[in-house]
Every structure is written in structure tokens, then in C-alpha cells.
């Protein structure tokens, strides 16, 4: 027996004790009927080969370890960005349990969201009663200012008309007639979580601008000098939105952040649970129609919303998750152009500091090879930044990126000498990435938490940037946008490079001549 | 008025108060799920296993979660396809901590996400052709897999796909390979629970009834038992198995944590099925009793009192040599548990706990808390049935608040009023209560710790509860300059 009250061993060490190791070996040998060791070894090696890669890339139907989630997740994200808003997902209830868990594991925060809990009878007769009762219950219990409705694939497959259902529910008194219930269809079998974000955000904006589903006259645009900002589906929303506010404040710009869950996903522990906190006010959402222009930080994540805003007469500035010097320059110069205001001196100094930091560290970045995967806009931003650092983004993969996205990545790669021999992989998954890492190895991998399996299998050190990050804490509190945010990204990358350098040179009397005290 | 009678009155008032927030119709329905336990009753007197109300923020999941997430997912040498859109498999990917040993991606697949990633055209034209192709691709790229299960997501049953026909066809094509179609669409039933049942039935139909009993050349002994309903969360099944082996028993299968398909296939040769999670695997245990005459016994490996009782209960099915060894095992671990209790009891004595979990835990962990001098003052099941609530009466004291399928609103209000020293529930609840300044432990995932089963696990359990309750951070939640 290895366990003792003095030194309690948990799963990290308990199962390495001899009595457990012996037990595991016996279980395997006597009861698991394992594949012969030589077959196992042979297959392990085979999966590392070009032959396996070819077969792996020939896949047409199977997806293994994708880097994307489904639409309603993004819809819940978007709803959570509005003042006092309760996300309401119409369909099966298990989905909502999954979205809430998923966000809570990333942000380490509560995520409130309700389901209309449809079951077999609703599959046959439609979910009207679920909508009627669901809105009434949610409204009575949780007293939201607004309920934002989206749908699961179940409701979409059976074709529930949620617009009509909401109207009927209002007639039945579930919520007051004038109560705001924007909605969006968010079928899980189209696009990904970023599509759901886009649809749901557009649903909310459309509700306020276009006459609340035909119940009031549409608003008439009276242009003013305000600027709208839309961040897109963003795992760093807590840190990023605060950083963006700081930048806008330095410019002294009137602005509306359309969808801002940065407070809802960062409430204090002070004895009170705040189900709602912060967020874009409903009034500001309506008034955003009158803004001079809208900055869209992740265009691919906000395609339809951007088009909707443009159709209402506003200029839209399309960005792709800018990270780094040139990316942030563009953001600030666009802000300056639109508002006619000079770029504040303090931000100019921050730019210089970022350039200073890059210059200080570039010897360790130059020519380093990277593989990266994640949402399409994030990939464009990071690819541009890596090229700026003199690093080589060899494999750029996005499960929810399409051909257009790949062309955009290719254009970035073609424009830089560091982009030679680098490629974009649209619609591929992390099992494809595994083959890429074995057949064309790189120095580092950038991705979300699931990349740790690739790190383990291929020994490519993982730098955690993306969504979700489950196994490191508080990263979402630090921005990755603006010059300050870019500095955070730079340091995150450098920390891993230096850690690996030390790990690789700490062999006593073998490699530790390079175990330098100054790097 | 006695203390417990007082608790009953306060509890009843609390329930009444909470129900006021609902629309009338809903209040009536929720009232049936909430009660204050009266000692001596054979039932908790709550309604259970019925539909959750729409819009109330139930904690419950779905049938897919019960089948793929709980029962089938941990079988490590099979590939489990999340069949339908991408999300379900993504959110349940490796999040349940079913530990296993194996080379992932080569001979084991537990922490991987295989999905058919349905697109609109699959909904319109059906997904059967795609499923066939997926199975072919799996056979090429993962040649050492020992079986495939098809875990249906919502659309499958709605668009009329015939996954049974695909499975049958491919089984034939791949020389009798085990391919299991599972109809666990998320809209079926009212919670995870039906998913467990459906998954149990598919093990019966596609493993027991289809596989040649002589396939594995298995040599039985009089001491063969199978662990049923332990998902090896944080290694629970391992810290249980070690005790059974020390008793002289031979554990021929683990269902399903760190389990393999051969273990499932050989289970009908067991002499006794020992059942931990009654809720999720009583179905298959009853089936094996009826069909193969294998008795089954429920046990509880949380905390020394219940472990000791359970070890003797299991030993009761065997001869004296086992019974003797069992006493030796109990004696062997006595020093450890005494030391653990001595170390932690003074720090935890009298602390009050509220639970809301799934499966067996709302009752099973109560003994472990009591071993540490703690008291469970409220408990409830996410997806329990009436037989769970009946079993609960053996564990709970008079005046305990019982809440079935608790809603977010109710749970928050109950905790606010009762002010327990610890709440044990899930990830969705964790941060709500921590914000309120209430210590919390996730009692599904063991909050990334564990194991909690067995004697080795009890030490960790005690340490973790102490760590949560006596964390210095709770002294910091009140801002000193705020009144």
C-alpha cells in the first residue's frame, strides 16, 4: 500500500506505484486480449509515414478531432454580450448543458442559458408549447431584459417557425407584447460556431433596427459620428474588449461595442452571483444604426452581420483578427481615417515598444517553423504576425476555413519571403495536422487545448492560443489585440521557445554547456 | 421543537417561497419534485424521471450524453462515431475523465472525437452513404480498432436514416466485425437516463447476442466478478479493482471505464456482477441475471464505513477463503483510514454539505462525508428514478432537503437560504456558488482530482474536501471597506 495520510497520492502519482502497475499489466494480459506488440509498433510507425498521410488526406467522409464547434454555441456567445440578456436555445436540452459546460471550462465562469427542452412529442408536433412555456418560465424566474432565441439542429430539422412561435407566445402572455425577443436560426449542420455567432448577432441587430419582427416601424438612420465595434467569436473577449475600450478612449471616440460579454464572463467573487453583468445596452444596440461606421474585427466570423450593416448605409471596415505591428497599424489608421482624429501619442509610443520588443527577441524567432490551427480570422492574424516576426507559418489549418480563406492565407504567404513553402489547409482537422507534423515537422505548434494530443504524439511543443483553452487558467483575461495584446502573444510564444531551449540543453555533462544564463 | 423538526419546517417554507417565482402552472409541477425528507418513510416522495420544464435552466443532458458520454465512450479499443453535426462530439470530447491505458489513435481511441460532421446535404439526402464511407475510412486509417459504435445525434432519428442497415451491411463486409448502431438521439427521453438504457440494450443485442461465446478462449474460475457501472473517473475503477483482487477475486471486466470489448464479451462468464452505478447499468445487470443466471449486488466504495460494508456484502457470495481475505483487507487499510479521519475530522466536523449530482452519487457519497464528521443537508438527482429515491432513504436524515432535477433558480435560492459549508455539483454550478463565497467541489469530474473510490480514493476525497472548505480565499470574498 502506497497511500498514506501524511503524503496523499492522487491520480498523478498513485497509479505509478508498483501495485497499480502490476495490476494494469495483468488486466491487459489476461482480459483485454490486446493486439500483438509488434502490430502495435508497426501501426504506430506507419501512421508517421507519407503513405499514411496520403490515405489520411484522401478522407472524404470521416472527421477526426476537428477544430470547430456548432452554430448554437456561437449564438449563446453573442446573446451573452447584451445587457441583461438570457440566451434561450430552442430544441433539445442536452445541447444547452454542453454549451454551458464548454464556456465554463474555458472562462472558469458561470454561463447562464436556458433550453426549451424539446422531446419526442415536440419532434412530432413541433415545439410551440415548449416556446410558450419556456419563455414564460424563463421570464418569470430569471427576469432578463431580453431573451435571445436560437435553435438546435433538432428544431431546424423539424422546421419550427420560431418567429411565429414567439409571436404566439406573446399572444398567450408568456412575455409582454413589447418585450424584446430577437431570434436567429442556427442549424448545427451549417457552418460552425462562428456562423452561429454571426446569425445570432445579426438577429439581435435586425430586431432593433428593422422594426422588431414587424411589430414597430423600422428605425430610420440619422448618421452621427459614433463608431461601432464588433469583435466576433473570441476566446479572449474579456481581455480584448477591455483593451479595445482603452484604445477607443485614448482616441476619445464615441463608440458602441456591439456584443460585449467581457463583464458577464468576468464577474468578481465577492459574495454575490451576478447572472447578468455589463453588456451592450438595448438602447445602444438600437442607436448603433446611426453610427458612421462599424469596425468588424473578424470578418469571416461576422460575414452576414457586416453585409446587413452595410445594407443599412454604414461603412464597414473588414479586418481579420489583427495581431502584430502592421495589423494593429491598420486598425488604428482606419479608426483615424473614419473619425478624422489623429492617432494618440500614447498609442504611437506603444507601437514603438512592441517593435522594440520584437527587435530584442528576433534572433530567437527568425526562421522558426510553426504549425497553427484555429478559427479562420485568428489564423489570418497570427499568420501575418509570424511573418512579421521572421518566423515561418509552415502549416496553417482551419477546420471551419473555406477556399476563400485559404486564398487569403496564401496571399499573405506569397507576400513574404518567410512564407515560401508554407501552405493553408482549409476544412482539415487535427488528425490531418498529425500527419503534417510527422511528415513535415516544425518547431512549434500553435492551437487550442486539444493540440496537447498532437504535442504528445509528435513532440511538437504546443503554444496555447485559441479557443477553447481548458487546461491553462486565465489566458482569456489577457488581450491579444492592439500593440499590448500583440506583446502578450509575442511573450507567450517566446516563453515556450525559451522553455524548450532550456529543456533541450539541461543534460548534465552532455548538453548543458548551452544551458545559458542569458538568452 | 427538535432540531430536525425545525429543519423540516424551514425547508418546507423555503420550498414554498421558491415556488412563488414560477408561473402558476409550473409551480404546481415543480412542487412535486421538492420535499423535506421525513425519517421512516420508504420513499423520498418526489416525482422523478419526468420531463424538465422548458426555460427553467435544468442541469440535465440528453440520451446521447448518456450513451456516448457515459456507457459506450469509455470502451477504449472501439471507435465511437458521433453521428450527426459536429457539436455533440466536440463538447463531450475527453471531458469526462474516463482514464484508460492504451496508445491513443492506434489501439485506443477514448480521448478522440470521431464525427460524421453532418452538413445540410446530409440532412436533405440522408447520411447513410456517408456513414458507410466513414466506416470504410476508419478501417483503413485505424486498422487496430476492435469495433465501432454509431452514436446517433438528434437529426438521425428525424431524417429517417437506417443506421441499423448500414451496421449490418458493414459487419458482413468486414467479416463479422462488431458495429453497433445506437439510437440515442438527444430528444429521446427526458435526460441522460434513457441513453444509458438504450446503450445497455445495444450491448445486449450487438455484443452478447452477436458475438461467438468461444471467441476469446476464456477460462473461467469460481472467483470471477465484473465491475459494472464504474467509469474510472480519475481512476476510480482502478482503486476499486485493487481491493477486489486483494480479496482474492478475479475482475474479468470493467464496465466501462478502462474497459475493452473483450471484457464486455466475457462478462456473461462472471460468477457475480458487482454494480456501482445502479442508475446507468442496472438494465444489463438484470439482463445477465435473467439470461445467464448471474447474480448482481450493489456496492458503495465511498468512505470506509460503506467500503467495509460493501466488501463483506460482496464476500458473502463466495467461500470462506474469500471472506477471510476480505477481513484481512479491511484490517490492512484500517490504519490508513484512521489516520485520514484523524487528520481531517477535526477540520471538517459538523460542516454541512449540499449535493446535486447524477447517477449514484447523490446518495452514495453521503457515507464518506459522514465518516469525516460532516452532514449532508440537501441532495437531489439530475436524472434519478423512483428506485433511486427509495434507495436514498437509507442514507439521508430527517429534515434533509430533497430536490429532483433542480433548476438554476431553485438551487441558488436553496444555497442562499441554507448557507452550507460546501456544495458538491457540476461545472455549470461551480462558479455560481464560488461567486457567492460558498466552497465547491465538482462531484462529477472530481474537480480534476481523484480517484475517490476505495480506500486510496478516500484519502484524496478527504484532502480535497478540506482543501475546498478551508481554503483561505473564502476569508477574502468580503470587501473590508464595504458594509
Amino acid at each position: 500500500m502506497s497511500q498514506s495520510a501524511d503524503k496523499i497520492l492522487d491520480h498523478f502519482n498513485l497509479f505509478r506505484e508498483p501495485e497499480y502497475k502490476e495490476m494494469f499489466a495483468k488486466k491487459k494480459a489476461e482480459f483485454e486480449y490486446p493486439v500483438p506488440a509488434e502490430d502495435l509498433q508497426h501501426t504506430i510507425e506507419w501512421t508517421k509515414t507519407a503513405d499514411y498521410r496520403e490515405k489520411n488526406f484522401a478522407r472524404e467522409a470521416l472527421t477526426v478531432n476537428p477544430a470547430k464547434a456548432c452554430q448554437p454555441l456561437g449564438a449563446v456567445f453573442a446573446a451573452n454580450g447584451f445587457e441583461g440578456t438570457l440566451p434561450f436555445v430552442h430544441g433539445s436540452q442536452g445541447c444547452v448543458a454542453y454549451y454551458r459546460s464548454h464556456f465554463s471550462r474555458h472562462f472558469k465562469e458561470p454561463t447562464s442559458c436556458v433550453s426549451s427542452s424539446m422531446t419526442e412529442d415536440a419532434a412530432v408536433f413541433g415545439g410551440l408549447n415548449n416556446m410558450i412555456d419556456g419563455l414564460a418560465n424563463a421570464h418569470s424566474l430569471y427576469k432578463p431584459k431580453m431573451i435571445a432565441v436560437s435553435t438546435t439542429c433538432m428544431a431546424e430539422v423539424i422546421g419550427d417557425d420560431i418567429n411565429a412561435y414567439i409571436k404566439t407566445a406573446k399572444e398567450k402572455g408568456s412575455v409582454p407584447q413589447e418585450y424584446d425577443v430577437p431570434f436567429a436560426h442556427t442549424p448545427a449542420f451549417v457552418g460552425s460556431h462562428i456562423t452561429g455567432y454571426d446569425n445570432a448577432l445579426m438577429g439581435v441587430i435586425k430586431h432593433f433596427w428593422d422594426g422588431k419582427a414587424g411589430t414597430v416601424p423600422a428605425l430610420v438612420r440619422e448618421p452621427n459620428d459614433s463608431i461601432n465595434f464588433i469583435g466576433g467569436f473570441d476566446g479572449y473577449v474579456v481581455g480584448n474588449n477591455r483593451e479595445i475600450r482603452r484604445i477607443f478612449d485614448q482616441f476619445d471616440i464615441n463608440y458602441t461595442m456591439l456584443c460585449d460579454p467581457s463583464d458577464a464572463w468576468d464577474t468578481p467573487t465577492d459574495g454575490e452571483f451576478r447572472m447578468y453583468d455589463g453588456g451592450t445596452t438595448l438602447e445602444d444596440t438600437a442607436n448603433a444604426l446611426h453610427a458612421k461606421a462599424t469596425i468588424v474585427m473578424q470578418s469571416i466570423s461576422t460575414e452576414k452581420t457586416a453585409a446587413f450593416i452595410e445594407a443599412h448605409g454604414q461603412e464597414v471596415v473588414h479586418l481579420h483578427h489583427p495581431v502584430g505591428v502592421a495589423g494593429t497599424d491598420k486598425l488604428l489608421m482606419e479608426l483615424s481615417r473614419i473619425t478624422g482624429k489623429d492617432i494618440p501619442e500614447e498609442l504611437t509610443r506603444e507601437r514603438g515598444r512592441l517593435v522594440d520588443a520584437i527587435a530584442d527577441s528576433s534572433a530567437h524567432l527568425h526562421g522558426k517553423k510553426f504549425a497553427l490551427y484555429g478559427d479562420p480570422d485568428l489564423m489570418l492574424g497570427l499568420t501575418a504576425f509570424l511573418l512579421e516576426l521572421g518566423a515561418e507559418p509552415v502549416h496553417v489549418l482551419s477546420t471551419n476555413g473555406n477556399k476563400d480563406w485559404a486564398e487569403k492565407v496564401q496571399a499573405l504567404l506569397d507576400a513574404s519571403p518567410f512564407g515560401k513553402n508554407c501552405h493553408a489547409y482549409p476544412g482539415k482537422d487535427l488528425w490531418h495536422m498529425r500527419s503534417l507534423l510527422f511528415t513535415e515537422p516544425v518547431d512549434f505548434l500553435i492551437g487550442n487545448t486539444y493540440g496537447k494530443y498532437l504535442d504528445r504524439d509528435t513532440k511538437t511543443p504546443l503554444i496555447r492560443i485559441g479557443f477553447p483553452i481548458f487546461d491553462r487558467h486565465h489566458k482569456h483575461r489577457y488581450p491579444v489585440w492592439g500593440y499590448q495584446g500583440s506583446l502578450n502573444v509575442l511573450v507567450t510564444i517566446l516563453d515556450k521557445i525559451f522553455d524548450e531551449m532550456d529543456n533541450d540543453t539541461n543534460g548534465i555533462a552532455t548538453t548543458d554547456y548551452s544551458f545559458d544564463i542569458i538568452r | 421543537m427538535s432540531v430536525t423538526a425545525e429543519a423540516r419546517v424551514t425547508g418546507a417554507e423555503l420550498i414554498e417561497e421558491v415556488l412563488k417565482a414560477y408561473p402558476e402552472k409550473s409551480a404546481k409541477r415543480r412542487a412535486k419534485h421538492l420535499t423535506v425528507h421525513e425519517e421512516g418513510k420508504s420513499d423520498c416522495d418526489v416525482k422523478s424521471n419526468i420531463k424538465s420544464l422548458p426555460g427553467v435552466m435544468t442541469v440535465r443532458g440528453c440520451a446521447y450524453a448518456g450513451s456516448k458520454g457515459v456507457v459506450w465512450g469509455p470502451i477504449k479499443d472501439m471507435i465511437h462515431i458521433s453521428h450527426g453535426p459536429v457539436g455533440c462530439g466536440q463538447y463531450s470530447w475527453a471531458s469526462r475523465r474516463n482514464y484508460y491505458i492504451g496508445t491513443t489513435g492506434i489501439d485506443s481511441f477514448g480521448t478522440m472525437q470521431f464525427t460524421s460532421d453532418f452538413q445540410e446535404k446530409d440532412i436533405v439526402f440522408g447520411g447513410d452513404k456517408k456513414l458507410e464511407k466513414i466506416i470504410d475510412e476508419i478501417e483503413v486509417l485505424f486498422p487496430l480498432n476492435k469495433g465501432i459504435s454509431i452514436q446517433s445525434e438528434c437529426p438521425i432519428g428525424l431524417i429517417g436514416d437506417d443506421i441499423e442497415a448500414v451496421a449490418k451491411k458493414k459487419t458482413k463486409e468486414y467479416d463479422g466485425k462488431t458495429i453497433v448502431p445506437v439510437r440515442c438521439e438527444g430528444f429521446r427521453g427526458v435526460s441522460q437516463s434513457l441513453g444509458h438504457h438504450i446503450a445497455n440494450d445495444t450491448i445486449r443485442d450487438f455484443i452478447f447476442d452477436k458475438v461467438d461465446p468461444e471467441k476469446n478462449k476464456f477460462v473461467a474460475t469460481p472467483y470471477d466478478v465484473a465491475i459494472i457501472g464504474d467509469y474510472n473517473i480519475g481512476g476510480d475503477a482502478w482503486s476499486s479493482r485493487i481491493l477486489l483482487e486483494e480479496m482474492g477475486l478475479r475482475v474479468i471486466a470493467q464496465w466501462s471505464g478502462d474497459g475493452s470489448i473483450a471484457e464486455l464479451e466475457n462478462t456473461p462468464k462472471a460468477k457475480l456482477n458487482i454494480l456501482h452505478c445502479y442508475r446507468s447499468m442496472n438494465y444489463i445487470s438484470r439482463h445477465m441475471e435473467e439470461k445467464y443466471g448471474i447474480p448482481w449486488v450493489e456496492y458503495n466504495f465511498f468512505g470506509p464505513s460503506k467500503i467495509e460494508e460493501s466488501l463483506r456484502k460482496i464476500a458473502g457470495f463466495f467461500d470462506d477463503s474469500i471472506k477471510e481475505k476480505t477481513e484481512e483487507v479491511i484490517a490492512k487499510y484500517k490504519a490508513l483510514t484512521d489516520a485520514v479521519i484523524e487528520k481531517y475530522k477535526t477540520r471538517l466536523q459538523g460542516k454541512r454539505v449540499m449535493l446535486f449530482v447524477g447517477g449514484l452519487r447523490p446518495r452514495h457519497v453521503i457515507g464518506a462525508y459522514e465518516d469525516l464528521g460532516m452532514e449532508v443537508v440537501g441532495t437531489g438527482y439530475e436524472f434519478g428514478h423512483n428506485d433511486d429515491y427509495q434507495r436514498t432513504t437509507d442514507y439521508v436524515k430527517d429534515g434533509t432537503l430533497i430536490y429532483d432535477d433542480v433548476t438554476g433558480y431553485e438551487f441558488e435560492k436553496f444555497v442562499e437560504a441554507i448557507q452550507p459549508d460546501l456544495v458538491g455539483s457540476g461545472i455549470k454550478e461551480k462558479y455560481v456558488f464560488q461567486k457567492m463565497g460558498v466552497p465547491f467541489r465538482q462531484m462529477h469530474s472530481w474537480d480534476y482530482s481523484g480517484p475517490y473510490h476505495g480506500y486510496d480514493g478516500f484519502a484524496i476525497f478527504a484532502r480535497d474536501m478540506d482543501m475546498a472548505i478551508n481554503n483561505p480565499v473564502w476569508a477574502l470574498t468580503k470587501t473590508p471597506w464595504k458594509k
Side-chain angles (χ1 to χ4, degrees):
Chain A
M1 177 169 49
S2 310
Q3 191 66 291
S4 80
D6 295 332
K7 190 170 181 256
I8 292 175
L9 304 178
D10 57 21
H11 60 92
F12 289 104
N13 292 304
L14 181 65
F15 301 129
R16 299 176 193 192
E17 294 296 329
E19 68 269 31
Y20 278 100
K21 279 166 70 178
E22 196 187 314
M23 184 182 88
F24 296 151
K26 230 176 115 197
K27 175 181 185 291
K28 183 178 174 182
E30 289 182 27
F31 306 107
E32 293 181 6
Y33 298 76
V35 296
E38 55 272 29
D39 288 2
L40 178 68
Q41 205 49 46
H42 169 82
T43 310
I44 290 172
E45 293 308 319
W46 174 57
T47 65
K48 299 176 183 173
T49 63
D51 174 55
Y52 189 87
R53 172 179 166 164
E54 196 184 309
K55 292 185 166 70
N56 190 10
F57 272 75
R59 264 190 283 148
E60 288 174 353
L62 172 67
T63 299
V64 185
N65 297 354
K68 67 169 180 182
C70 68
Q71 278 213 48
L73 184 81
V76 172
F77 184 111
N80 210 22
F82 290 88
E83 178 198 20
T85 297
L86 184 64
F88 181 113
V89 188
H90 182 58
S92 303
Q93 72 192 10
C95 313
V96 167
Y98 278 143
Y99 314 140
R100 294 179 67 206
S101 303
H102 207 66
F103 282 129
S104 288
R105 287 174 179 139
H106 175 81
F107 290 112
K108 317 294 179 202
E109 292 285 323
T111 302
S112 298
C113 176
V114 299
S115 162
S116 65
S117 295
M118 285 165 68
T119 54
E120 284 110 329
D121 51 344
V124 178
F125 302 111
L128 175 61
N129 288 331
N130 300 69
M131 182 70 83
I132 294 169
D133 292 345
L135 287 178
N137 286 330
H139 187 254
S140 300
L141 286 182
Y142 299 112
K143 312 216 169 341
K145 285 201 169 139
M146 173 163 93
I147 297 176
V149 176
S150 55
T151 53
T152 76
C153 54
M154 179 206 182
E156 288 301 323
V157 171
I158 64 172
D160 272 7
D161 181 353
I162 50 172
N163 184 15
Y165 285 9
I166 292 166
K167 285 200 166 103
T168 310
K170 284 184 171 184
E171 280 158 21
K172 301 247 178 199
S174 296
V175 294
Q177 278 291 351
E178 65 287 356
Y179 186 79
D180 292 310
V181 188
F183 65 90
H185 289 277
T186 51
F189 45 83
V190 176
S192 70
H193 55 289
I194 61 174
T195 323
Y197 171 93
D198 193 12
N199 283 331
L201 180 60
M202 190 178 76
V204 173
I205 297 173
K206 190 175 172 173
H207 172 81
F208 286 101
W209 293 7
D210 279 2
K212 304 190 172 184
T215 57
V216 295
L219 298 181
V220 178
R221 182 169 135 88
E222 293 165 17
N224 58 29
D225 67 348
S226 178
I227 304 294
N228 298 326
F229 177 87
I230 295 176
F233 189 105
D234 172 23
Y236 297 92
V237 68
V238 170
N240 273 344
N241 282 13
R242 286 183 191 152
E243 180 62 13
I244 293 294
R245 284 182 183 284
R246 193 181 65 88
I247 291 171
F248 276 66
D249 288 344
Q250 279 178 346
F251 263 97
D252 197 20
I253 295 172
N254 287 326
Y255 68 92
T256 301
M257 203 164 250
L258 275 174
C259 181
D260 181 14
S262 62
D263 286 336
W265 272 321
D266 195 23
T267 63
T269 285
D270 60 357
E272 184 196 344
F273 161 55
R274 295 162 179 81
M275 189 160 162
Y276 312 105
D277 202 10
T280 314
T281 65
L282 309 190
E283 195 185 350
D284 285 352
T285 307
N287 287 333
L289 170 67
H290 311 303
K292 191 173 185 185
T294 296
I295 307 274
V296 167
M297 204 63 168
Q298 300 192 68
S299 292
I300 300 172
S301 176
T302 331
E303 227 172 1
K304 283 190 205 160
T305 307
F308 177 83
I309 293 171
E310 273 167 342
H312 280 69
Q314 271 184 45
E315 180 185 352
V316 172
V317 176
H318 298 267
L319 301 172
H320 293 295
H321 198 293
V323 186
V325 180
T328 309
D329 288 352
K330 184 167 183 207
L331 168 68
L332 299 192
M333 288 190 293
E334 287 289 60
L335 271 177
S336 172
R337 177 182 66 77
I338 291 164
T339 59
K341 294 190 182 213
D342 290 339
I343 294 173
E345 185 51 32
E346 182 52 29
L347 292 174
T348 308
R349 289 183 69 87
E350 282 177 22
R351 181 187 191 280
R353 289 182 194 130
L354 175 62
V355 175
D356 181 72
I358 293 171
D360 293 349
S361 309
S362 68
H364 298 294
L365 296 158
H366 191 97
K368 287 274 185 314
K369 289 180 162 54
F370 286 81
L372 53 156
Y373 70 86
D375 283 344
D377 289 299
L378 173 67
M379 289 302 97
L380 285 161
L382 284 178
T383 299
F385 189 38
L386 288 170
L387 292 168
E388 202 169 62
L389 297 173
E392 297 175 18
V394 176
H395 311 302
V396 187
L397 182 147
S398 183
T399 310
N400 48 353
N402 59 17
K403 255 179 149 178
D404 287 350
W405 165 82
E407 279 167 20
K408 286 194 174 81
V409 176
Q410 199 55 52
L412 287 175
L413 297 172
D414 291 346
S416 164
F418 297 97
K420 235 176 131 186
N421 303 321
C422 300
H423 297 283
Y425 296 93
K428 299 296 176 196
D429 56 41
L430 302 190
W431 199 253
H432 292 113
M433 182 63 103
R434 189 177 186 270
S435 279
L436 292 174
L437 295 176
F438 274 128
T439 53
E440 291 179 76
V442 295
D443 300 306
F444 294 93
L445 170 67
I446 295 178
N448 61 15
T449 281
Y450 300 114
K452 76 193 292 176
Y453 298 128
L454 293 167
D455 180 332
R456 175 196 59 194
D457 288 2
T458 70
K459 307 296 171 218
T460 315
L462 171 67
I463 297 166
R464 285 170 177 76
I465 300 174
F467 174 89
I469 306 289
F470 290 154
D471 63 341
R472 294 293 183 274
H473 290 192
H474 310 307
K475 300 297 175 194
H476 64 278
R477 299 174 195 270
Y478 296 89
V480 298
W481 288 342
Y483 299 121
Q484 294 289 3
S486 303
L487 188 64
N488 288 337
V489 175
L490 177 71
V491 174
T492 301
I493 294 171
L494 284 169
D495 280 349
K496 185 60 97 177
I497 291 177
F498 289 127
D499 281 349
E500 284 304 310
M501 219 176 261
D502 285 345
N503 287 340
D504 194 43
T505 56
N506 62 6
I508 296 169
T510 53
T511 58
D512 64 355
Y513 43 81
S514 299
F515 196 62
D516 277 311
I517 207 70
I518 308 160
R519 302 262 196 219
Chain B
M1 201 162 29
S2 73
V3 178
T4 51
E6 213 170 283
R8 263 211 308 271
V9 172
T10 342
E13 282 168 4
L14 186 54
I15 290 170
E16 203 180 320
E17 190 57 38
V18 158
L19 289 171
K20 283 181 190 161
Y22 287 91
E24 202 186 328
K25 182 171 96 175
S26 300
K28 259 191 200 156
R29 288 180 56 187
R30 281 304 305 161
K32 295 174 185 157
H33 298 262
L34 307 171
T35 192
V36 181
H37 181 61
E38 276 182 56
E39 187 116 5
K41 280 203 165 182
S42 63
D43 199 335
C44 292
D45 229 6
V46 288
K47 285 258 187 223
S48 58
N49 194 35
I50 53 178
K51 276 198 268 186
S52 304
L53 294 177
V56 298
M57 214 168 340
T58 170
V59 176
R60 283 175 170 176
C62 63
Y64 163 89
S67 176
K68 186 265 184 180
V70 176
V71 175
W72 275 111
I75 300 296
K76 61 184 178 180
D77 51 4
M78 289 178 71
I79 285 175
H80 309 289
I81 304 166
S82 292
H83 190 40
V86 70
C88 317
Q90 202 71 3
Y91 310 125
S92 58
W93 180 4
S95 56
R96 222 170 159 260
R97 303 189 66 232
N98 310 108
Y99 281 9
Y100 64 89
I101 290 169
T103 307
T104 302
I106 310 297
D107 68 354
S108 303
F109 310 94
T111 49
M112 293 176 73
Q113 154 36 351
F114 291 83
T115 172
S116 45
D117 187 14
F118 259 35
Q119 302 299 305
E120 197 148 25
K121 63 175 190 301
D122 302 314
I123 300 288
V124 177
F125 300 110
D128 287 342
K129 285 268 173 318
K130 187 174 199 175
L131 181 58
E132 285 188 26
K133 201 174 231 177
I134 283 171
I135 293 170
D136 293 340
E137 289 175 357
I138 284 174
E139 288 303 291
V140 173
L141 292 170
F142 305 95
L144 302 186
N145 86 79
K146 290 199 182 161
I148 293 170
S149 80
I150 302 154
Q151 305 288 329
S152 301
E153 299 170 7
C154 288
I156 305 307
L158 299 171
I159 61 176
D161 272 13
D162 192 351
I163 59 169
E164 290 79 8
V166 174
K168 197 171 174 186
K169 179 177 166 192
K170 287 291 160 185
T171 291
K172 206 168 163 200
E173 208 175 307
Y174 292 107
D175 302 323
K177 184 182 186 76
T178 300
I179 300 177
V180 187
V182 191
R183 286 287 179 178
C184 55
E185 288 90 344
F187 62 83
R188 292 191 197 279
V190 302
S191 67
Q192 293 91 313
S193 186
L194 187 63
H196 306 142
H197 197 155
I198 292 167
N200 277 222
D201 288 352
T202 52
I203 297 177
R204 176 195 65 202
D205 296 344
F206 292 89
I207 305 277
F208 291 170
D209 292 356
K210 289 253 171 17
V211 175
D212 175 6
E214 301 312 312
K215 178 182 161 193
N216 295 317
K217 301 187 183 64
F218 182 86
V219 184
T221 78
Y223 303 114
D224 292 353
V225 299
I227 295 178
I228 311 282
D230 189 325
Y231 302 102
N232 205 32
I233 290 166
D236 280 340
W238 293 333
S239 57
S240 303
R241 182 185 187 105
I242 202 160
L243 298 178
L244 298 165
E245 289 188 353
E246 282 183 66
M247 283 166 70
L249 299 175
R250 205 171 79 120
V251 180
I252 65 164
Q254 283 178 210
W255 289 55
S256 54
D258 192 36
S260 55
I261 190 166
E263 290 168 69
L264 297 184
E265 288 163 355
N266 288 331
T267 304
K269 292 170 179 136
K271 298 293 178 295
L272 177 69
N273 279 326
I274 65 164
L275 176 59
H276 209 237
C277 183
Y278 169 84
R279 178 72 277 129
S280 58
M281 286 198 173
N282 76 85
Y283 318 101
I284 200 72
S285 307
R286 290 175 199 280
H287 170 73
M288 283 191 268
E289 183 178 41
E290 281 163 27
K291 180 150 184 194
Y292 309 105
I294 306 169
W296 54 280
V297 58
E298 287 177 67
Y299 70 111
N300 178 350
F301 268 8
F302 289 105
S305 304
K306 290 292 166 191
I307 298 173
E308 194 176 312
E309 195 183 304
S310 296
L311 290 177
R312 290 197 176 110
K313 190 154 84 168
I314 295 165
F317 286 81
F318 297 94
D319 59 31
D320 285 351
S321 75
I322 299 294
K323 287 181 186 131
E324 278 158 29
K325 274 191 223 142
T326 301
E327 292 308 318
E328 285 166 26
V329 172
I330 292 166
K332 176 184 161 187
Y333 286 96
K334 186 98 175 59
L336 170 67
T337 53
D338 285 353
V340 167
I341 289 170
E342 193 191 300
K343 184 173 175 183
Y344 291 106
K345 198 166 181 172
T346 47
R347 301 166 61 82
L348 296 171
Q349 183 81 46
K351 300 288 183 194
R352 295 150 76 240
V353 186
M354 288 176 76
L355 299 169
F356 186 74
V357 238
L360 65 155
R361 291 167 179 174
R363 62 177 179 275
H364 261 44
V365 296
I366 291 175
Y369 283 113
E370 288 175 350
D371 284 337
L372 294 167
M374 300 165 76
E375 188 191 356
V376 173
V377 296
T379 193
Y381 293 80
E382 211 178 304
F383 47 82
H385 298 203
N386 196 38
D387 48 6
D388 289 301
Y389 284 100
Q390 281 166 355
R391 285 165 166 75
T392 307
T393 58
D394 297 339
Y395 287 87
V396 292
K397 289 188 182 145
D398 193 51
T400 306
L401 193 62
I402 307 285
Y403 30 81
D404 176 70
D405 184 22
V406 80
T407 68
Y409 178 84
E410 290 163 6
F411 205 11
E412 187 193 332
K413 295 295 160 198
F414 289 158
V415 170
E416 223 169 62
I418 292 172
Q419 294 282 315
D421 301 291
L422 180 75
V423 174
S425 191
I427 183 70
K428 304 191 286 301
E429 295 71 56
K430 179 181 174 82
Y431 302 105
V432 170
F433 296 115
Q434 290 191 174
K435 302 278 179 197
M436 288 163 66
V438 181
F440 188 97
R441 284 298 293 186
Q442 287 184 65
M443 293 299 282
H444 299 262
S445 67
W446 305 149
D447 235 317
Y448 322 122
S449 177
Y452 282 177
H453 290 178
Y455 290 115
D456 285 345
F458 175 66
I460 303 162
F461 172 83
R463 179 200 69 180
D464 289 355
M465 298 310 136
D466 174 53
M467 191 194 317
I469 291 175
N470 295 309
N471 184 338
V473 75
W474 305 123
L476 304 173
T477 59
K478 289 285 169 223
T479 317
W481 56 89
K482 278 206 162 176
K483 290 269 153 69

